[in-house]
Amino acid sequence: MQRRRVIASVGSLMGGSVLGGWSAMAQAQSAGGSDRIVIGQSAPFTGPSAQLGLQFHLGAQLHFEQVNAKGGVNGRRIELQRLDDGYEPERCVANTKQFISDGVFALFGYVGTATSLAALPLASEAKTPFFAPFSGAQALREPFNRYAIHVRASYFDETAAIVRQVTSTGIKKLAVFYQDDAYGKTGLEGVQRALKAMNLETVAQGSVERNTNDVAPALKTILAAKPEAIVQIGAYKACATFIRLARQQGFGGNFYNVSFVGTQALMDELGAVAKGVVVSQVMPFPYSPATQLSGEYLADLKDKRGQAPNYSGMEGYVAAKVFVEALKRAGRGATRESFIDAIHGMQAVNLGGFPVDFGPQKHTGSRFVELTLLTEDGRIRR
């Protein structure tokens, strides 16, 4: 796929963010008595991580629009509302309180670990499903929580796959550049756990504050240790800044990123400097109809001017598809509790080449991970 800038209309996305008139629906939503299923998404739609929220939202909306065009689910249309949190936990908490007060059926597609960790206790207290957060953090999965439902694999799954790949080539000197918050520290722990199993440890670590690009201190510490490869646990702008500066200073090894980085956004930031950057993926390949699910995603995108396929969009699309399937199984009078019970029944369900497997004590649907390589000419190779 030729490299291209992902274009999104922020104005059109934010135009639907005004929330009003929901409180009268709160009881109907929980009791399954409304002709709509209203769900709320708090995510970054502005700021340095905006592409993560925007693309996930667009992918989810893509599937919901197809479902609504055919009459919705059991006669009920799905309405996805969104509020911008700028990838900041305090704003996410305020958004979550508003959604819960307004009586949404579920909280859907929250983006980020720190924000999701701030919101989950509120969702649990309100007994509102917290569905498909765009995060692989273990702290969102353990201890088990009836109201937290995960579609994607965990960061431990991703970092284990990365470490296996790196060490299989004979590399032993591995450094970690991470975002200094719950997300970055989870990824760092995952790398350390995987290395420890091989009697290895990181040669250096360096961090960056969330929503900043001040990578100079981390860069100095990490390059001084002369690593052979660097694992990054961050968002696309800070990771791209680090990669660019490291290359300028002569680092020739590979960089490895987990999926949350935002693959397309990272590649757009790097251009030709993307050569030698590896990203672990937890979703089907979105750039060709390699699976039935990928083909459906691309077909639905055909008439969407200004939208290009990407992994973040695919994750939103898959999350929406799993949500719809559970809603169908919950029946015409679906409530929050019957929705969760329906998810428990989704065991070994194949969504067109992407299997998910849930259960009464199993709320992580997939452990799928594969590694992709970015190229200097703007391609993503599996």
Side-chain angles (χ1 to χ4, degrees):
M1 189 206 73
Q2 294 299 320
R3 183 173 65 85
R4 51 192 161 179
R5 189 74 187 171
V6 176
I7 302 170
S9 172
V10 179
S12 64
L13 276 173
M14 299 310 296
S17 297
V18 178
L19 306 174
W22 288 9
S23 52
M25 254 202 249
Q27 187 174 354
Q29 283 284 307
S30 61
S34 171
D35 62 353
R36 291 185 294 164
I37 295 287
V38 180
I39 57 181
Q41 181 187 22
S42 179
F45 296 118
T46 58
S49 300
Q51 285 300 320
L52 301 176
L54 290 169
Q55 297 308 322
F56 188 104
H57 182 89
L58 288 168
Q61 197 73 321
L62 186 67
H63 185 65
F64 288 145
E65 286 174 1
Q66 295 294 321
V67 170
N68 288 340
K70 298 174 182 177
V73 180
N74 299 318
R76 303 172 76 181
R77 292 173 56 83
I78 300 172
E79 184 177 323
L80 176 59
Q81 297 284 345
R82 62 263 172 180
L83 288 172
D84 180 22
D85 60 33
Y87 197 24
E88 294 292 352
E90 297 80 8
R91 293 171 64 183
C92 181
V93 165
N95 292 348
T96 303
K97 288 179 178 178
Q98 181 170 343
F99 282 137
I100 290 172
S101 174
D102 289 331
V104 297
F105 183 86
L107 301 171
F108 174 92
Y110 275 41
V111 174
T113 298
T115 45
S116 293
L117 283 172
L120 182 55
L122 300 174
S124 301
E125 183 180 359
K127 296 186 177 181
T128 300
F130 191 75
F131 190 88
F134 190 179
S135 169
Q138 212 66 19
L140 293 168
R141 299 154 189 256
E142 296 177 354
F144 176 83
N145 184 327
R146 173 174 170 81
Y147 296 97
I149 300 102
H150 305 274
V151 174
R152 60 160 29 234
S154 74
Y155 293 143
F156 283 1
D157 293 327
E158 292 190 66
T159 50
I162 288 171
V163 169
R164 281 196 302 271
Q165 171 62 27
V166 175
T167 55
S168 72
T169 65
I171 289 175
K172 295 183 177 180
K173 297 181 66 178
L174 198 61
V176 179
F177 169 68
Y178 66 97
Q179 187 168 290
D180 191 14
D181 65 1
Y183 158 53
K185 290 174 182 176
T186 298
L188 171 63
E189 182 186 352
V191 173
Q192 291 172 325
R193 285 165 58 116
L195 285 174
K196 186 176 181 180
M198 301 176 182
N199 295 316
L200 297 172
E201 59 183 30
T202 59
V203 297
Q205 302 167 19
S207 65
V208 64
E209 292 297 318
R210 181 179 58 249
N211 280 342
T212 73
N213 295 324
D214 184 15
V215 305
L219 184 70
K220 182 178 179 180
T221 298
I222 288 174
L223 293 189
K226 301 187 183 304
E228 298 170 280
I230 300 172
V231 179
Q232 298 184 297
I233 317 292
Y236 58 92
K237 280 193 177 292
C239 288
T241 301
F242 188 100
I243 292 167
R244 194 177 297 109
L245 292 175
R247 293 298 192 217
Q248 289 174 6
Q249 295 187 33
F251 178 74
N254 277 7
F255 289 92
Y256 292 81
N257 286 262
V258 295
S259 58
F260 183 80
V261 71
T263 307
Q264 185 68 49
L266 179 65
M267 190 162 61
D268 289 341
E269 290 284 334
L270 288 172
V273 186
K275 181 181 180 181
V277 176
V278 177
V279 184
S280 57
Q281 309 294 353
V282 296
M283 289 289 137
F285 191 70
Y287 300 107
S288 70
T291 63
Q292 178 187 328
L293 182 56
S294 299
E296 291 174 6
Y297 171 64
L298 291 169
D300 289 346
L301 263 181
K302 253 185 182 179
D303 298 325
K304 295 294 183 181
R305 184 174 300 176
Q307 291 186 40
N310 60 83
Y311 275 104
S312 299
M314 173 62 91
E315 183 154 351
Y317 188 86
V318 170
K321 199 170 183 69
V322 176
F323 185 89
V324 167
E325 178 62 28
L327 206 55
K328 288 178 180 176
R329 291 169 179 244
R332 184 174 295 275
T335 65
R336 296 182 184 116
E337 298 299 332
S338 68
F339 171 77
I340 294 172
D341 289 340
I343 290 169
H344 294 164
M346 292 179 62
Q347 298 173 16
V349 175
N350 193 325
L351 300 176
F354 184 77
V356 293
D357 187 40
F358 294 96
Q361 294 295 316
K362 186 175 184 292
H363 275 197
T364 296
S366 170
R367 297 191 65 184
F368 167 80
V369 179
E370 70 175 2
L371 301 187
T372 56
L373 177 68
L374 311 189
T375 66
E376 59 186 327
D377 62 349
R379 297 178 184 274
I380 300 175
R381 290 172 50 192
R382 302 174 69 190

